[in-house]
């Protein structure tokens, strides 16, 4: 679809059985060809994906972006009192967001764009089988031991010293003080630390904090895109995360920014307006997996 169409933006509230609504934004095109849920990275607000969402909507895709509980417009009360976790982000927040997408754009095809945690947690969604496909960006296990040594030292400090200390002193993790996104609820950061120290990320918690999941059931087509200059989602960690989805139909692609006339892609810059030359990859994937 080459001709762009006009879009309507609307901020909404996604009601939750836990009585903690999620803040979300709907991007509605005049002519609908499909619908896309954007699953955010850890501690990243929905506004970060605005340019990418407008691009998708301009080509006929209804889009929903949202803030996980405790982040941005989905923080209720004090962050110190927030009991959100990575498990609840996947099991509840992602699932509720998909349902909201379906309600706003019924009778079409549904795709998930998972950025980092937004793709890691899809196996916790009880309604994940209702997706046609998943397009993951910078999504990996984040296993510390697989990172190059110079970055691993920084990551070890952040995960194994900074997070526990911040949680102890403040009852939350001040990621904002070290350029790692928004402040995080303590249980989110605690699980993040624990899972990155293990193998298979969320697999570390199977049988413990994760009692029910769908990682070994999902046979969805998934596209995993990472970049050579991403210190977190390197090839070893992407493979580690893909292995948790035992039945998934995985396609993988590692981007070199130089081959796309970009200075960097890293963990975050795929969604930058400067990287819009990469965005047609998502459209091609959606078209391939729409029925």
């Amino acid at each position: 679809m080459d001709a762009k169409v006009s879009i309507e933006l609307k901020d909404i509230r996604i009601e939750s059985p836990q009585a903690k609504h999620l803040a979300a934004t709907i991007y509605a095109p005049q002519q609908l060809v499909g619908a896309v849920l954007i699953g955010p990275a850890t501690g990243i607000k929905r506004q970060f994906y605005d340019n990418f969402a407008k691009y998708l909507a301009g080509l006929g895709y209804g889009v929903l972006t949202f803030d996980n509980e405790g982040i941005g417009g989905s923080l209720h009360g004090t962050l110190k009192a927030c009991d959100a976790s990575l498990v609840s982000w996947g099991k509840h927040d992602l699932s509720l967001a998909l349902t909201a997408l379906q309600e706003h754009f019924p009778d079409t095809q549904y795709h998930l764009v998972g950025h980092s945690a937004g793709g890691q947690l899809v196996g916790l969604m009880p309604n994940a089988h209702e997706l046609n496909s998943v397009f993951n960006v910078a999504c990996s296990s984040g296993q510390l031991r697989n990172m190059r040594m110079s970055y691993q030292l920084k990551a070890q400090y952040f995960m194994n010293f900074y997070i526990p200390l911040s949680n102890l002193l403040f009852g939350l993790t001040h990621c904002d003080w070290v350029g790692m996104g928004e402040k995080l609820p303590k249980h989110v950061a605690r699980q993040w630390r624990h899972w990155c120290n293990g193998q298979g990320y969320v697999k570390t918690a199977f049988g413990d904090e994760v009692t029910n999941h769908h990682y070994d059931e999902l046979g969805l087509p998934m596209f995993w895109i990472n970049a050579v200059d991403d210190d977190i989602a390197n090839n070893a960690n992407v493979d580690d995360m893909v292995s948790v989805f035992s039945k998934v139909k995985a396609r993988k692609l590692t981007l070199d920014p130089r081959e796309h006339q970009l200075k960097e892609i890293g963990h975050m810059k795929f969604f930058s307006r400067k990287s819009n030359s990469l965005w047609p990859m998502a459209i091609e994937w959606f078209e391939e997996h729409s029925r």
Side-chain angles (χ1 to χ4, degrees), residues 172-183:
L172 57 93
T173 295
H174 272 287
C175 295
D176 54 323
W177 288 357
V178 290
M180 293 291 287
E182 299 294 303
K183 296 186 285 289

Side-chain angles (χ1 to χ4, degrees), residues 21-37:
H21 72 266
L22 302 177
T25 301
I26 289 287
Y27 299 74
Q30 281 188 340
Q31 300 175 358
L32 186 70
V33 300
V36 179
L37 171 64

Side-chain angles (χ1 to χ4, degrees), residues 239-253:
D239 289 343
D240 188 32
M241 192 71 236
V242 170
S243 71
V244 182
F245 295 85
S246 58
K247 294 182 179 179
V248 79
K249 302 168 186 175
R251 182 187 301 176
K252 292 178 282 187
L253 176 65

Side-chain angles (χ1 to χ4, degrees), residues 245-283:
F245 295 85
S246 58
K247 294 182 179 179
V248 79
K249 302 168 186 175
R251 182 187 301 176
K252 292 178 282 187
L253 176 65
T254 301
L255 301 174
D256 186 331
R258 295 169 297 182
E259 295 176 357
H260 299 273
Q261 292 73 54
L262 297 170
K263 291 184 178 180
E264 60 178 324
I265 299 173
H267 200 66
M268 305 294 289
K269 294 296 181 68
F270 180 93
F271 299 98
S272 167
R273 187 181 298 173
K274 294 179 180 178
S275 301
N276 62 7
S277 62
L278 305 176
W279 296 352
M281 293 179 186
I283 299 297

Side-chain angles (χ1 to χ4, degrees), residues 159-161 163-164 188-198:
M159 288 288 177
N160 295 320
F161 177 77
I163 285 178
V188 169
R190 178 184 57 78
Q191 286 181 336
W192 190 22
R193 170 181 176 266
H194 177 56
W195 296 1
C196 286
N197 274 287

Side-chain angles (χ1 to χ4, degrees), residues 214-228:
H214 309 279
Y215 288 93
D216 53 1
E217 301 171 7
L218 292 176
L220 291 170
M222 290 189 178
F223 198 179
W224 302 72
I225 290 183
N226 68 326
V228 295

